[in-house]
Coordinates of all heavy atoms in Angstrom, one line a residue:
D177 N 13.8 23.4 12.9 CA 12.5 23.5 12.3 C 11.7 22.3 12.8 O 12.0 21.2 12.6 CB 12.6 23.4 10.7 CG 11.3 23.8 10.0 OD1 10.3 23.8 10.7 OD2 11.4 24.1 8.8
N178 N 10.5 22.6 13.4 CA 9.7 21.5 14.0 C 8.5 21.2 13.1 O 7.6 20.5 13.6 CB 9.3 21.8 15.4 CG 8.4 23.0 15.6 OD1 8.4 23.9 14.7 ND2 7.5 23.0 16.6
N179 N 8.4 21.8 11.9 CA 7.2 21.4 11.1 C 7.7 20.7 9.8 O 6.9 20.5 8.9 CB 6.4 22.7 10.7 CG 5.7 23.3 11.9 OD1 5.2 22.6 12.7 ND2 5.7 24.6 11.9
K180 N 8.9 20.2 9.8 CA 9.4 19.4 8.7 C 8.9 18.0 8.6 O 8.7 17.5 7.5 CB 11.0 19.4 8.8 CG 11.6 20.5 8.0 CD 13.1 20.5 8.1 CE 13.8 19.2 7.7 NZ 15.2 19.3 7.6
Y181 N 8.6 17.4 9.7 CA 8.1 16.1 9.8 C 6.8 15.9 10.5 O 6.6 16.7 11.5 CB 9.2 15.1 10.4 CG 10.4 15.0 9.6 CD1 11.5 15.7 9.9 CD2 10.4 14.2 8.4 CE1 12.7 15.5 9.0 CE2 11.5 14.0 7.6 CZ 12.6 14.7 7.9 OH 13.7 14.6 7.1
Q182 N 6.0 15.0 10.1 CA 4.8 14.6 10.7 C 4.8 13.2 11.1 O 5.3 12.3 10.3 CB 3.6 14.9 9.8 CG 2.2 14.5 10.3 CD 1.8 15.3 11.5 OE1 1.8 16.5 11.5 NE2 1.3 14.6 12.5
W183 N 4.3 12.9 12.3 CA 4.2 11.5 12.8 C 2.7 11.0 12.5 O 1.8 11.7 12.6 CB 4.5 11.4 14.3 CG 5.9 11.5 14.5 CD1 6.7 12.6 14.6 CD2 6.9 10.4 14.6 NE1 8.0 12.3 14.8 CE2 8.2 11.0 14.8 CE3 6.8 9.0 14.7 CZ2 9.3 10.2 15.0 CZ3 7.9 8.3 14.8 CH2 9.1 8.8 15.0
Y184 N 2.7 9.7 12.1 CA 1.4 9.1 11.7 C 1.2 7.7 12.4 O 2.2 7.0 12.6 CB 1.4 8.8 10.2 CG 1.5 10.0 9.3 CD1 2.8 10.5 9.0 CD2 0.4 10.6 8.8 CE1 2.9 11.6 8.1 CE2 0.5 11.7 7.9 CZ 1.8 12.2 7.6 OH 1.9 13.3 6.8
Y185 N 0.0 7.4 12.7 CA -0.3 6.0 13.2 C -1.3 5.4 12.3 O -2.1 6.1 11.6 CB -0.8 6.1 14.7 CG -2.1 6.8 14.9 CD1 -3.3 6.2 14.9 CD2 -2.0 8.2 15.1 CE1 -4.5 6.9 15.2 CE2 -3.2 8.9 15.4 CZ -4.4 8.2 15.4 OH -5.6 8.9 15.6
E186 N -1.3 4.1 12.3 CA -2.1 3.3 11.3 C -3.5 3.1 11.7 O -3.8 2.8 12.8 CB -1.4 1.9 11.1 CG -1.9 1.2 9.9 CD -1.0 0.0 9.7 OE1 -0.7 -0.7 10.7 OE2 -0.7 -0.3 8.5
G187 N -4.4 3.4 10.8 CA -5.8 3.1 10.9 C -6.2 1.9 10.1 O -5.3 1.2 9.6
R188 N -7.5 1.7 9.9 CA -7.9 0.5 9.1 C -7.5 0.5 7.7 O -7.2 -0.5 7.1 CB -9.4 0.3 9.2 CG -9.8 -0.5 10.4 CD -11.3 -0.6 10.6 NE -11.9 0.7 10.9 CZ -13.1 1.0 11.3 NH1 -14.0 -0.1 11.3 NH2 -13.6 2.2 11.6
N189 N -7.6 1.7 7.1 CA -7.2 1.7 5.6 C -6.5 3.0 5.3 O -6.8 3.7 4.4 CB -8.5 1.6 4.8 CG -9.6 2.6 5.3 OD1 -9.4 3.3 6.3 ND2 -10.7 2.7 4.6
G190 N -5.5 3.3 6.1 CA -4.7 4.5 5.9 C -4.1 5.0 7.2 O -4.1 4.3 8.2
W191 N -3.5 6.2 7.1 CA -2.7 6.7 8.2 C -3.4 8.0 8.8 O -3.9 8.8 8.0 CB -1.3 7.1 7.7 CG -0.5 5.9 7.3 CD1 -0.5 5.4 6.0 CD2 0.3 5.1 8.1 NE1 0.3 4.3 6.0 CE2 0.9 4.1 7.2 CE3 0.7 5.2 9.4 CZ2 1.8 3.2 7.7 CZ3 1.6 4.2 9.9 CH2 2.2 3.2 9.0
W192 N -3.3 8.1 10.1 CA -3.8 9.2 10.8 C -2.6 10.1 11.3 O -1.6 9.5 11.7 CB -4.6 8.8 12.1 CG -5.9 8.2 11.8 CD1 -6.2 6.8 11.9 CD2 -7.2 8.8 11.6 NE1 -7.5 6.6 11.6 CE2 -8.1 7.8 11.4 CE3 -7.6 10.1 11.4 CZ2 -9.5 8.0 11.2 CZ3 -8.9 10.4 11.1 CH2 -9.9 9.3 11.0
K193 N -2.8 11.4 11.2 CA -1.7 12.2 11.8 C -1.9 12.3 13.3 O -3.1 12.3 13.8 CB -1.9 13.7 11.3 CG -1.5 13.8 9.8 CD -1.6 15.3 9.4 CE -1.1 15.4 8.0 NZ -0.9 16.8 7.6
Y194 N -0.9 12.3 14.1 CA -0.9 12.6 15.5 C -1.3 14.0 15.7 O -1.0 14.9 14.8 CB 0.4 12.3 16.2 CG 0.7 10.9 16.5 CD1 1.4 10.1 15.6 CD2 0.4 10.4 17.7 CE1 1.7 8.8 15.8 CE2 0.7 9.1 18.0 CZ 1.3 8.3 17.1 OH 1.6 7.0 17.4
E195 N -2.0 14.3 16.8 CA -2.3 15.7 17.0 C -1.0 16.5 17.4 O 0.0 15.9 17.6 CB -3.4 15.9 18.1 CG -3.2 15.1 19.4 CD -2.4 15.9 20.4 OE1 -2.2 17.1 20.2 OE2 -2.0 15.3 21.4
E196 N -1.1 17.8 17.3 CA 0.0 18.7 17.3 C 1.0 18.5 18.5 O 2.2 18.4 18.3 CB -0.4 20.1 17.2 CG 0.6 21.1 16.8 CD 0.1 22.5 16.6 OE1 -1.2 22.6 16.3 OE2 0.8 23.5 16.8
R197 N 0.4 18.3 19.7 CA 1.2 18.2 20.9 C 1.9 16.9 20.9 O 3.1 16.8 21.2 CB 0.3 18.3 22.1 CG 0.9 18.0 23.4 CD 2.1 19.0 23.8 NE 2.9 18.5 24.9 CZ 2.6 18.7 26.1 NH1 1.5 19.4 26.5 NH2 3.4 18.3 27.1
S198 N 1.2 15.8 20.6 CA 1.9 14.5 20.5 C 3.0 14.5 19.4 O 4.1 13.9 19.6 CB 0.9 13.4 20.2 OG -0.1 13.3 21.1
N199 N 2.7 15.1 18.3 CA 3.7 15.2 17.2 C 4.9 15.9 17.7 O 6.0 15.4 17.4 CB 3.0 15.9 16.0 CG 3.9 15.8 14.8 OD1 4.0 14.7 14.2 ND2 4.5 16.8 14.3
A200 N 4.8 17.0 18.4 CA 5.9 17.7 18.9 C 6.7 16.9 19.9 O 7.9 16.8 19.9 CB 5.5 19.0 19.5
D201 N 6.0 16.2 20.8 CA 6.6 15.3 21.8 C 7.4 14.2 21.1 O 8.5 13.8 21.5 CB 5.6 14.7 22.8 CG 5.0 15.7 23.7 OD1 5.5 16.8 23.8 OD2 4.1 15.4 24.4
L202 N 6.8 13.6 20.1 CA 7.4 12.5 19.4 C 8.7 13.0 18.6 O 9.7 12.3 18.7 CB 6.4 11.8 18.4 CG 5.3 11.0 18.9 CD1 4.3 10.7 17.9 CD2 5.9 9.7 19.5
E203 N 8.5 14.1 18.0 CA 9.7 14.6 17.2 C 10.8 15.0 18.1 O 12.0 14.7 17.8 CB 9.2 15.8 16.4 CG 10.2 16.3 15.4 CD 10.6 15.3 14.3 OE1 9.9 14.3 14.1 OE2 11.6 15.6 13.6
A204 N 10.5 15.6 19.3 CA 11.6 16.0 20.2 C 12.3 14.7 20.8 O 13.5 14.7 20.9 CB 11.0 16.8 21.4
A205 N 11.5 13.7 21.1 CA 12.1 12.5 21.6 C 12.9 11.8 20.6 O 14.1 11.4 20.8 CB 11.0 11.5 22.1
F206 N 12.3 11.6 19.4 CA 13.0 10.9 18.3 C 14.4 11.6 18.0 O 15.4 10.9 17.9 CB 12.2 10.9 17.1 CG 12.8 10.1 15.9 CD1 12.8 8.7 15.9 CD2 13.3 10.8 14.8 CE1 13.4 8.0 14.8 CE2 13.9 10.1 13.8 CZ 13.9 8.7 13.8
T207 N 14.4 12.9 17.8 CA 15.6 13.6 17.4 C 16.6 13.7 18.5 O 17.8 13.9 18.3 CB 15.3 15.0 16.9 OG1 14.6 15.8 17.9 CG2 14.4 15.0 15.6
S208 N 16.1 13.5 19.8 CA 17.1 13.4 20.9 C 17.8 12.1 21.0 O 18.8 12.0 21.7 CB 16.3 13.7 22.2 OG 15.7 12.5 22.7
G209 N 17.3 11.1 20.3 CA 18.0 9.8 20.2 C 17.5 8.8 21.2 O 18.1 7.7 21.3
V210 N 16.5 9.1 22.0 CA 16.0 8.1 22.9 C 15.2 7.0 22.1 O 14.9 7.2 20.9 CB 15.1 8.7 24.0 CG1 15.9 9.6 24.9 CG2 13.8 9.3 23.5
S211 N 15.0 5.8 22.7 CA 14.4 4.7 22.0 C 12.9 4.7 22.0 O 12.3 3.9 21.2 CB 14.9 3.4 22.6 OG 14.6 3.3 23.9
E212 N 12.3 5.4 22.9 CA 10.8 5.4 22.9 C 10.3 6.7 23.5 O 11.0 7.5 24.1 CB 10.3 4.2 23.8 CG 10.8 4.2 25.2 CD 10.4 3.0 26.0 OE1 10.4 1.9 25.4 OE2 10.0 3.1 27.1
C213 N 8.9 6.9 23.3 CA 8.3 8.1 23.8 C 6.9 7.7 24.4 O 6.2 7.0 23.7 CB 8.1 9.1 22.7 SG 7.3 10.6 23.1
L214 N 6.6 8.1 25.6 CA 5.3 7.8 26.2 C 4.4 8.9 25.9 O 4.8 10.1 25.9 CB 5.5 7.7 27.7 CG 6.2 6.5 28.3 CD1 6.2 6.5 29.8 CD2 5.7 5.2 27.7
L215 N 3.1 8.6 25.6 CA 2.1 9.6 25.3 C 0.9 9.3 26.1 O 0.5 8.1 26.3 CB 1.7 9.5 23.8 CG 2.8 9.8 22.7 CD1 2.2 9.6 21.3 CD2 3.2 11.3 22.9
L216 N 0.2 10.3 26.6 CA -1.0 10.1 27.3 C -2.1 10.6 26.3 O -2.2 11.8 26.0 CB -1.0 10.9 28.6 CG -2.3 10.9 29.4 CD1 -2.6 9.5 29.9 CD2 -2.2 11.8 30.6
L217 N -2.9 9.7 25.8 CA -3.9 10.1 24.8 C -5.3 9.8 25.3 O -5.7 8.6 25.5 CB -3.7 9.3 23.5 CG -2.3 9.5 22.8 CD1 -2.0 8.4 21.8 CD2 -2.3 10.9 22.1
A218 N -6.1 10.8 25.6 CA -7.4 10.7 26.2 C -7.5 9.7 27.4 O -8.3 8.8 27.4 CB -8.4 10.2 25.1
G219 N -6.5 9.9 28.3 CA -6.5 9.1 29.5 C -5.8 7.7 29.4 O -5.8 7.0 30.4
T220 N -5.3 7.4 28.2 CA -4.7 6.1 28.0 C -3.2 6.3 27.7 O -2.9 7.2 26.9 CB -5.3 5.3 26.8 OG1 -6.7 5.2 27.1 CG2 -4.7 4.0 26.6
I221 N -2.3 5.5 28.3 CA -0.9 5.7 28.1 C -0.5 4.7 27.0 O -0.8 3.6 27.0 CB -0.1 5.3 29.4 CG1 -0.5 6.2 30.6 CG2 1.4 5.5 29.1 CD1 0.1 5.8 31.9
Y222 N 0.3 5.3 26.0 CA 0.8 4.6 24.9 C 2.3 4.8 24.9 O 2.8 5.8 25.3 CB 0.3 5.1 23.6 CG -1.2 4.7 23.3 CD1 -2.2 5.6 23.7 CD2 -1.5 3.5 22.8 CE1 -3.5 5.3 23.5 CE2 -2.9 3.2 22.6 CZ -3.9 4.1 22.9 OH -5.2 3.8 22.7
C223 N 3.0 3.8 24.4 CA 4.5 3.9 24.2 C 4.8 3.8 22.7 O 4.3 2.8 22.0 CB 5.2 2.7 24.9 SG 7.0 2.7 24.6
V224 N 5.4 4.8 22.2 CA 5.9 4.7 20.8 C 7.3 4.2 20.8 O 8.2 4.9 21.4 CB 5.7 6.0 20.0 CG1 6.3 5.9 18.6 CG2 4.2 6.4 20.0
D225 N 7.5 3.1 20.2 CA 8.8 2.4 20.2 C 9.5 2.7 18.8 O 9.0 2.3 17.8 CB 8.6 0.9 20.3 CG 9.8 0.0 20.1 OD1 10.8 0.5 19.5 OD2 9.7 -1.2 20.5
F226 N 10.6 3.5 18.9 CA 11.2 4.0 17.7 C 12.1 2.9 16.9 O 12.4 3.1 15.8 CB 12.1 5.2 18.0 CG 11.4 6.4 18.5 CD1 11.9 7.1 19.6 CD2 10.2 6.9 17.9 CE1 11.2 8.2 20.1 CE2 9.5 8.0 18.4 CZ 10.0 8.6 19.5
Q227 N 12.4 1.9 17.6 CA 13.2 0.8 17.0 C 12.2 0.0 16.0 O 12.6 -0.3 14.9 CB 13.8 -0.2 18.0 CG 15.2 0.0 18.3 CD 15.4 0.9 19.5 OE1 15.0 0.6 20.6 NE2 15.9 2.1 19.3
N228 N 11.1 -0.3 16.6 CA 10.1 -1.1 15.8 C 9.1 -0.3 15.1 O 8.3 -0.8 14.3 CB 9.4 -2.1 16.7 CG 10.5 -3.1 17.3 OD1 11.2 -3.8 16.6 ND2 10.6 -3.2 18.6
M229 N 9.1 1.0 15.4 CA 8.1 2.0 14.8 C 6.7 1.5 15.0 O 5.9 1.3 14.0 CB 8.5 2.3 13.3 CG 9.8 3.1 13.2 SD 9.7 4.7 14.0 CE 9.0 5.7 12.6
V230 N 6.4 1.3 16.2 CA 5.0 0.9 16.6 C 4.6 1.7 17.8 O 5.4 2.2 18.6 CB 4.9 -0.6 16.9 CG1 5.0 -1.5 15.7 CG2 5.9 -1.1 18.0
Q231 N 3.3 1.8 17.9 CA 2.6 2.4 19.1 C 1.9 1.3 19.9 O 1.2 0.5 19.3 CB 1.6 3.5 18.7 CG 0.7 4.0 19.8 CD -0.5 4.8 19.3 OE1 -0.3 5.9 18.9 NE2 -1.7 4.2 19.4
I232 N 2.2 1.2 21.1 CA 1.7 0.1 21.9 C 0.9 0.6 23.1 O 1.4 1.5 23.9 CB 2.8 -0.9 22.4 CG1 3.6 -1.4 21.3 CG2 2.2 -2.0 23.2 CD1 5.0 -1.9 21.7
R233 N -0.3 0.1 23.4 CA -1.1 0.5 24.6 C -0.4 -0.1 25.8 O -0.2 -1.3 25.8 CB -2.5 0.1 24.4 CG -3.5 0.9 25.3 CD -4.8 0.2 25.5 NE -5.6 0.1 24.3 CZ -6.8 -0.5 24.3 NH1 -7.3 -1.0 25.4 NH2 -7.5 -0.5 23.2
R234 N -0.1 0.7 26.8 CA 0.6 0.2 28.0 C -0.2 -0.9 28.7 O 0.4 -1.9 29.2 CB 0.9 1.4 28.9 CG 2.1 2.1 28.6 CD 3.2 1.6 29.5 NE 4.5 1.5 28.9 CZ 5.6 1.8 29.6 NH1 5.6 2.3 30.8 NH2 6.8 1.7 29.0
S235 N -1.5 -0.7 28.8 CA -2.3 -1.6 29.6 C -2.7 -2.9 28.9 O -3.2 -3.8 29.5 CB -3.6 -0.9 30.1 OG -4.3 -0.5 29.0
D236 N -2.4 -2.9 27.6 CA -2.7 -4.0 26.7 C -1.8 -4.1 25.5 O -2.2 -3.5 24.4 CB -4.2 -4.0 26.3 CG -4.6 -5.2 25.5 OD1 -3.7 -6.0 25.1 OD2 -5.8 -5.3 25.1
P237 N -0.6 -4.6 25.6 CA 0.3 -4.6 24.5 C -0.1 -5.3 23.2 O 0.6 -5.2 22.2 CB 1.6 -5.3 25.1 CG 1.4 -5.2 26.6 CD -0.1 -5.3 26.8
T238 N -1.2 -6.0 23.3 CA -1.7 -6.5 22.0 C -2.3 -5.4 21.1 O -2.5 -5.6 19.9 CB -2.8 -7.6 22.2 OG1 -4.0 -7.0 22.7 CG2 -2.3 -8.7 23.1
K239 N -2.6 -4.3 21.7 CA -3.1 -3.1 21.0 C -1.9 -2.3 20.4 O -1.4 -1.4 21.0 CB -4.0 -2.2 21.9 CG -5.1 -2.9 22.6 CD -6.1 -3.5 21.6 CE -7.3 -4.2 22.3 NZ -8.2 -4.9 21.3
L240 N -1.6 -2.8 19.2 CA -0.3 -2.3 18.6 C -0.7 -1.7 17.2 O -1.4 -2.3 16.5 CB 0.6 -3.5 18.5 CG 2.0 -3.3 18.0 CD1 3.0 -4.2 18.8 CD2 2.0 -3.7 16.5
R241 N -0.1 -0.6 16.9 CA -0.3 0.0 15.6 C 1.1 0.4 15.0 O 2.0 0.8 15.8 CB -1.1 1.3 15.6 CG -2.5 1.1 16.1 CD -3.1 2.5 16.5 NE -4.4 2.3 17.0 CZ -5.5 2.3 16.3 NH1 -5.5 2.5 15.0 NH2 -6.7 2.1 16.8
R242 N 1.2 0.3 13.7 CA 2.5 0.8 13.1 C 2.4 2.4 13.1 O 1.3 3.0 13.1 CB 2.6 0.4 11.6 CG 2.8 -1.1 11.5 CD 3.3 -1.4 10.1 NE 2.3 -1.1 9.1 CZ 2.6 -0.9 7.8 NH1 3.8 -1.0 7.4 NH2 1.6 -0.6 6.9
V243 N 3.6 2.9 13.2 CA 3.7 4.4 13.1 C 4.7 4.7 12.0 O 5.6 3.9 11.7 CB 4.1 5.1 14.5 CG1 3.2 4.7 15.6 CG2 5.6 4.7 14.9
K244 N 4.7 5.9 11.5 CA 5.7 6.4 10.6 C 5.9 7.9 10.8 O 5.1 8.6 11.3 CB 5.3 6.1 9.1 CG 4.1 6.8 8.6 CD 3.5 6.2 7.4 CE 3.8 6.9 6.1 NZ 5.0 6.7 5.4
R245 N 7.1 8.3 10.3 CA 7.5 9.7 10.3 C 7.7 10.1 8.9 O 8.6 9.4 8.2 CB 8.8 9.8 11.1 CG 9.4 11.2 11.2 CD 10.7 11.1 11.9 NE 11.3 12.4 12.2 CZ 12.5 12.8 11.7 NH1 13.2 12.0 10.9 NH2 13.0 14.0 12.1
D246 N 7.0 11.0 8.4 CA 7.0 11.3 7.0 C 6.8 12.8 6.8 O 6.6 13.6 7.8 CB 6.0 10.5 6.3 CG 6.4 10.1 4.8 OD1 6.9 11.0 4.1 OD2 6.1 9.0 4.4
I247 N 6.8 13.3 5.5 CA 6.5 14.7 5.3 C 5.1 15.0 5.6 O 4.2 14.1 5.5 CB 6.9 15.0 3.8 CG1 6.1 14.1 2.8 CG2 8.4 15.0 3.6 CD1 6.3 14.5 1.3
P248 N 4.8 16.2 5.9 CA 3.4 16.6 6.3 C 2.3 16.4 5.2 O 1.1 16.3 5.6 CB 3.5 18.0 6.8 CG 4.9 18.2 7.1 CD 5.7 17.4 6.2
T249 N 2.8 16.3 4.0 CA 1.8 16.2 2.9 C 1.5 14.7 2.5 O 0.8 14.5 1.6 CB 2.3 16.9 1.6 OG1 3.6 16.5 1.3 CG2 2.3 18.4 1.8
F250 N 2.1 13.8 3.3 CA 1.8 12.4 3.0 C 0.2 12.2 3.2 O -0.3 12.7 4.1 CB 2.6 11.5 4.0 CG 2.4 10.0 3.7 CD1 3.2 9.4 2.8 CD2 1.4 9.3 4.3 CE1 3.0 8.0 2.5 CE2 1.2 7.9 4.0 CZ 2.0 7.3 3.1
P251 N -0.4 11.4 2.3 CA -1.9 11.2 2.4 C -2.3 10.6 3.7 O -1.8 9.6 4.1 CB -2.2 10.3 1.2 CG -1.1 10.4 0.3 CD 0.1 10.7 1.1
S252 N -3.3 11.3 4.4 CA -3.8 10.8 5.7 C -5.3 10.9 5.7 O -5.9 11.5 4.9 CB -3.2 11.7 6.8 OG -3.8 12.9 6.8
K253 N -5.9 10.1 6.7 CA -7.3 10.1 6.9 C -7.8 11.4 7.6 O -8.9 11.7 7.5 CB -7.7 8.9 7.7 CG -7.3 7.6 7.1 CD -7.9 6.4 7.9 CE -9.4 6.3 7.8 NZ -9.9 5.0 8.4
G254 N -6.9 12.0 8.3 CA -7.2 13.2 9.1 C -6.3 13.3 10.3 O -5.2 12.6 10.3
I255 N -6.7 14.0 11.3 CA -5.8 14.2 12.5 C -6.5 13.6 13.7 O -7.6 14.0 14.1 CB -5.6 15.7 12.7 CG1 -5.0 16.4 11.4 CG2 -4.7 16.0 13.9 CD1 -4.9 17.9 11.5
A256 N -5.8 12.6 14.3 CA -6.2 12.0 15.6 C -7.6 11.6 15.6 O -8.3 11.9 16.6 CB -5.8 13.0 16.7
G257 N -8.1 11.0 14.6 CA -9.4 10.5 14.5 C -10.5 11.5 14.0 O -11.6 11.1 13.8
I258 N -10.1 12.7 13.7 CA -11.0 13.7 13.1 C -10.8 13.6 11.6 O -9.7 14.0 11.1 CB -10.7 15.1 13.6 CG1 -10.6 15.2 15.1 CG2 -11.7 16.1 13.0 CD1 -11.9 14.9 15.8
K259 N -11.8 13.1 10.9 CA -11.7 12.9 9.5 C -11.6 14.2 8.7 O -12.2 15.2 9.0 CB -12.8 12.1 8.9 CG -12.7 10.6 9.2 CD -13.8 9.8 8.5 CE -13.7 8.3 9.0 NZ -15.0 7.6 8.7
K260 N -10.7 14.1 7.7 CA -10.6 15.2 6.7 C -12.0 15.5 6.0 O -12.7 14.5 5.7 CB -9.6 14.8 5.6 CG -8.2 15.3 5.8 CD -7.5 15.0 4.5 CE -6.0 15.1 4.8 NZ -5.3 14.5 3.7
I261 N -12.3 16.7 5.7 CA -13.5 17.0 5.0 C -13.3 17.1 3.5 O -12.1 17.3 3.1 CB -14.3 18.2 5.6 CG1 -13.4 19.4 5.7 CG2 -15.0 17.8 6.8 CD1 -14.1 20.7 5.8
Ligands
V3L492 N1 -4.2 9.4 18.6 C1 -5.5 9.5 18.8 N2 -6.3 8.4 19.1 C2 -5.7 7.2 19.1 C3 -4.3 7.1 19.0 C4 -3.5 8.2 18.7 N3 -2.2 8.2 18.5 N4 -4.0 5.8 19.1 C5 -5.1 5.2 19.3 N5 -6.2 6.0 19.4 P1 -5.9 1.2 20.4 P2 -10.0 3.7 11.6 C6 -8.3 5.4 16.1 C7 -7.6 5.7 19.6 O1 -4.7 1.3 19.4 O2 -11.4 3.8 11.1 C8 -8.4 6.6 15.1 O3 -7.9 7.8 15.6 C9 -8.1 4.9 18.4 O4 -8.6 5.8 17.4 O5 -6.7 -0.1 20.2 O6 -9.6 2.3 12.1 C10 -9.9 6.6 14.9 O7 -10.5 7.5 15.8 C11 -9.2 4.0 19.0 O8 -10.4 4.7 18.9 O9 -5.5 1.4 21.8 O10 -8.9 4.2 10.6 C12 -10.4 5.2 15.2 O11 -9.2 4.5 15.7 C13 -8.7 3.9 20.5 O12 -7.8 4.9 20.7 C14 -10.9 4.5 13.9 O13 -9.9 4.6 12.9 C15 -8.1 2.5 20.8 O14 -6.9 2.3 20.0

């Protein structure tokens, strides 16, 4: 079942859901047991580190956000920067 868990990244005052494709990539990587997953997001490469549960921008590692894996109904701001209405 690939809709049991949702991945989230931290915003200023809450959590954003990853978009569907990134979520599927993260879930596949995490459940396979690897330690990290690379994502290409709007032309920018990010590494999600499953040990530290952070997302880090490859070109600038100071750009770091917490990530979490939770149930899909966990309160979020929206999906990948698109605010909930
Ligand atoms: N998915 C989509 N966009 C992302 C992601 C991601 N996993 N990671 C970073 N960005 P940084 P508030 C976020 C965007 O980490 O008001 C939100 O999606 C990121 O977008 O410095 O703080 C919102 O669109 C940011 O625009 O590399 O909660 C926006 O921030 C840009 O990449 C504001 O959210 C640089 O992020």
Side-chain angles (χ1 to χ4, degrees):
D177 193 342
N178 67 330
N179 292 319
K180 266 177 54 166
Y181 292 102
Q182 173 67 46
W183 286 82
Y184 300 85
Y185 62 95
E186 197 170 39
R188 269 177 294 190
N189 48 358
W191 296 89
W192 292 99
K193 291 184 177 189
Y194 280 89
E195 53 90 10
E196 199 174 333
R197 172 63 192 276
S198 299
N199 194 65
D201 288 352
L202 286 167
E203 190 60 16
F206 181 78
T207 58
S208 82
V210 297
S211 61
E212 61 184 41
C213 179
L214 293 181
L215 296 174
L216 182 61
L217 298 165
T220 303
I221 303 171
Y222 290 92
C223 176
V224 174
D225 172 341
F226 298 134
Q227 262 93 63
N228 297 303
M229 289 299 274
V230 290
Q231 170 191 286
I232 305 160
R233 200 199 294 179
R234 272 263 147 141
S235 62
D236 181 356
T238 68
K239 304 298 183 186
L240 182 146
R241 296 168 184 269
R242 290 196 299 159
V243 303
K244 67 196 251 89
R245 179 183 187 245
D246 211 320
I247 55 175
T249 52
F250 186 86
S252 73
K253 299 185 72 173
I255 304 173
I258 310 296
K259 279 186 188 163
K260 265 189 197 165
I261 48 159

